[in-house]
Amino acid sequence: YNPCQMSLPSGFLLGDYEILAPVGAGGMGEVYRARDRRLDREVAIKVLRDLASPDAERLRRFEQEARAAAALNHPNILAVYQMGQFEGTPYLVTELLEGETLRDRLHRGPVSLRQVIDIGGQIARGLSAAHRKGIIHRDLKPENLFLTAGGHVKILDFGLARLMANGESTAHLKHSLQTGTSPGVVLGTVGYMSPEQVRGDPADARSDVFSFTVILREMLTGEPTFRKATAAETMTAILNEDPPPVAVSLPEAPAGLQRVLDRGLE
């Protein structure tokens, strides 16, 4: 095992967990299918990249993800079982999901109106549970929404979440937006960021509502709500432009749904 390459082979023991196979990689780490040897169940393990020398900020954010997600017990939020370190390697143990991300689903085109209402309702319930505990996500996007084989929606990756009452300063947010280019530094994902995130202002639950609405529109139309040639132009559009009504690409969309979308972006 070479921690510099951050590749765990099948059979590798991470504490009480036996690595079975890689699942995927994200901005902050890699995910593996593993077996809990004590409880004899399969789990998912997320491990930080660059494990030989994880910097303090990335470790802080990784721990923040664990605390935020563990505080949320809801069927539409990924369940966190444990956080630990093994020989300096921080890892997060969660439930193992079978299915696909919403991004994978969107690669096949628009989602039916009936499915959008079902998926959207589940996302809304999960977000509501988080907001009631004072936690906002700050990085809602199709990659962070998982559609299980059983028809459930799970919100993933609270790595950018923060307690609303204990948020970072506006100056820190602006600095991150202006200078952050490595994965996970910019507080949000271009195209799904709320206007306050683009400006570097403090964000509350309404920021998640905006990002959620952008995702709803993309499910309905099959196209990103805000997509320009460059990131800078996309962020400018988020601040200054109103997207066209969904009825332009989906004439059968109910008027009530359009009102919900308009309210969400407001």
Side-chain angles (χ1 to χ4, degrees):
Y1 163 55
N2 185 344
C4 295
Q5 296 179 353
M6 221 294 298
S7 179
L8 303 182
S10 175
F12 183 81
L13 294 181
L14 198 64
D16 292 314
Y17 303 97
E18 178 184 357
I19 299 298
L20 301 179
V23 174
M28 289 185 63
E30 290 193 2
V31 181
Y32 296 87
R33 177 189 294 265
R35 183 172 67 89
D36 184 338
R37 300 173 64 180
R38 291 177 304 169
L39 299 178
D40 194 25
R41 64 176 176 182
E42 290 196 355
V43 297
I45 295 184
K46 184 174 185 178
V47 189
L48 274 181
R49 292 182 182 274
D50 305 322
L51 299 181
S53 57
D55 63 71
E57 174 62 17
R58 293 183 72 190
L59 183 57
R60 182 193 70 80
R61 291 187 55 236
F62 191 76
E63 292 174 343
Q64 182 179 10
E65 174 180 348
R67 287 194 300 269
L72 304 172
N73 182 19
H74 192 275
N76 297 121
I77 297 175
L78 180 72
V80 173
Y81 298 144
Q82 179 185 347
M83 178 183 172
Q85 289 195 34
F86 180 74
E87 296 183 355
T89 299
Y91 62 86
L92 190 66
V93 184
T94 72
E95 64 178 313
L96 179 66
L97 301 178
E98 303 287 350
E100 63 180 354
T101 67
L102 180 57
R103 172 63 68 206
D104 294 332
R105 170 60 188 84
L106 288 173
H107 284 324
R108 301 197 297 273
V111 181
S112 71
L113 179 59
R114 186 168 186 168
Q115 285 181 304
V116 169
I117 293 173
D118 177 35
I119 293 171
Q122 294 191 58
I123 297 170
R125 287 191 287 273
L127 284 178
S128 179
H131 293 166
R132 284 196 299 270
K133 286 186 175 287
I135 297 173
I136 58 176
H137 192 286
R138 293 201 301 176
D139 195 26
L140 280 177
K141 55 187 175 182
E143 289 83 354
N144 282 339
L145 297 168
F146 198 91
L147 312 179
T148 73
H152 299 291
V153 180
K154 296 280 187 174
I155 304 174
L156 313 178
D157 196 354
F158 275 83
L160 291 179
R162 68 175 173 89
L163 292 176
M164 295 180 197
N166 299 305
E168 295 116 319
S169 68
T170 300
H172 174 76
L173 293 174
K174 289 183 176 178
H175 175 75
S176 297
L177 287 167
Q178 291 166 358
T179 63
T181 56
S182 63
V185 174
V186 174
L187 301 180
T189 299
V190 174
Y192 300 94
M193 298 167 71
S194 65
E196 52 269 31
Q197 287 178 296
V198 171
R199 290 191 297 263
D201 293 336
D204 59 21
R206 291 169 294 183
S207 179
D208 281 349
V209 173
F210 183 94
S211 301
F212 170 48
T213 306
V214 168
I215 294 168
L216 283 179
R217 289 181 53 94
E218 185 170 348
M219 282 195 288
L220 288 164
T221 65
E223 297 291 337
T225 301
F226 298 100
R227 181 173 63 180
K228 302 294 181 181
T230 67
E233 290 175 303
T234 299
M235 289 190 285
T236 299
I238 290 173
L239 291 175
N240 300 312
E241 296 182 13
D242 290 325
V246 294
V248 172
S249 54
L250 191 71
E252 66 271 25
L257 177 59
Q258 183 63 58
R259 288 194 295 270
V260 169
L261 297 175
D262 290 343
R263 179 61 174 165
L265 293 184
E266 289 172 2

